[in-house]
Amino acid sequence: MTIRRFLFAAGATLSLWCAAPAVGLAQTVWKASDVHPLGYPTVEAIQRMGKKLEAATNGRIRIQMYPSMQLGGEKEMIEQAQLGALQIARISVGAMGPVVDELNVFNLPFVFRDEAHMRKVIDGPIGQELLDRITASPQSRLVVLGWMDAGTRNVYSNKPVAKPADLKGMKIRMMGNPLFVETMNAMGGHGVAMGFNELFGALQTGVVDGAENNPPTLLAQNHYTVSKVYSFTGHLIIPEIFVFSRRTWDAMSKEDQQLLRKVSREAQLEQRALWDAYVGEATTKLKAAGVQFVEADKAAFYTATQPIRDKYGAKYAALLQRIQDTK
Ligand code: GTR
C-alpha cells in the first residue's frame, strides 16, 4: 500500500458515518490540521469553528484537530486534503505558490507596504479574486474557506542582521519555493529550502544558522530556545489560508456547504482578533526569555530584493499595480 493510499484509507475511515452515542445521530468527523500547537491563533480559530458546527448540526458534524505537524508539513497537508484524507488544512500562501502560480505575487518581498496594507488587499476584491482562483483551479482540488493573518516575517539567528552585509555566509532556512531561496540570496544570505517540520533540528544542529518568521512562530515552535536574536528585516508579509478538500466538499449537501461558508467567515474574523492579541503576548514572552530584538535597515533590504520583484512580478504587473494602488 502506498503512503497516499494509506492516508486516504485512514481519512476515509474517519470521515465515515458512524454512531454518535450521545445524540443517537449519524456523525461526520472532519479532520483538520495545522503545523502549530494547540492555543495558536490559527488552531484556536478552527477549533472554535468546530464547536459552532457541532452546535449548529446538533452534533452531526464535528472537527477533529491534528495540531503540531502530526500529519506532516504543509506540503503533505495539501496533498492529503487533495486526496480527501484530510478535510481542513491551514497553510501559508508560501506553500500554495507552487500549486497556484498567481499566488506568488503575495510571496514577493516587500510587496505590501505594511500589515495594514496587506489586510486592505486581502479584505478587498483582490483577496476575493485570488481565493476564487484557487477554488476554481482544477489542479488545486481545494475549496478555499478564508484568509488568516500571519504578521510579518523577520530574520532570526544568533547575531544581529541589520543590513544585507550581515547575512554574508549565513545559511537561512526558507520555505520550499524557489522564490524564497532567491529572495534570501538577494538579501545577502544563503537561502536553504527546507520543510518546516525539519527546521527545529536544523537550527539546533547548525545545519542552518537561522530562519525567518513572525514572532508568534518563534515562540510557539520553541525556535527562540536556539536562536536568540530577532532582527526586523520585514521582508515578507504573507497571509495564510484555510482550505477544504474538494473531494469532501463535492459530496456535501448545499446546506452544509452554506453552513461551512458562514462559520468560516466568522473564523477568519475571529483569527484576526486572536492574532493581534497573541503577537503582543508572544513578544513579551520572547523578551522575558532573553530574545534580543534588533532594528534593521529595511530600505537596504528593499533595494537588494528589487531583482526578485522584477523577475517574478513581471507576468503579474497589472495585479502588482492594483496592489500598490490599494490605499
Ligand atoms: C509560519 C506559518 C506556517 C508555516 C511556517 C513556515 O509562519 O504559520 O504555516 O508556513 O511559517 O515557515 O514554514
Side-chain angles (χ1 to χ4, degrees), residues 34-36 40 74 90-92 150 153 173 175 196 212-214 217 240:
D34 198 305
V35 296
H36 290 301
Y40 195 87
E74 302 201 328
R90 199 288 308 155
I91 48 189
S92 168
R153 297 175 77 102
R173 177 269 174 177
M175 283 188 274
F196 195 51
E212 43 79 64
N213 222 310
N214 49 51
T217 297
E240 318 204 304

Side-chain angles (χ1 to χ4, degrees), residues 201-273:
L203 286 167
Q204 237 179 356
T205 55
V207 167
V208 290
D209 303 302
E212 43 79 64
N213 222 310
N214 49 51
T217 297
L218 182 64
L219 178 75
Q221 297 291 337
N222 292 319
H223 294 172
Y224 73 97
T225 59
V226 268
S227 298
K228 296 279 184 199
V229 187
Y230 191 78
S231 307
F232 288 111
T233 47
H235 54 286
L236 290 168
I237 299 179
I238 307 181
E240 318 204 304
I241 52 175
F242 55 119
V243 298
F244 197 79
S245 170
R246 154 79 56 202
R247 210 178 166 130
T248 310
W249 177 267
D250 285 346
M252 281 159 57
S253 69
K254 285 270 162 311
E255 292 72 36
D256 282 352
Q257 290 176 349
Q258 266 164 15
L259 173 65
L260 181 54
R261 283 267 179 236
K262 174 178 170 282
V263 291
S264 295
R265 264 194 303 278
E266 292 166 11
Q268 173 171 328
L269 294 175
E270 207 158 3
Q271 190 271 347
R272 186 167 286 182

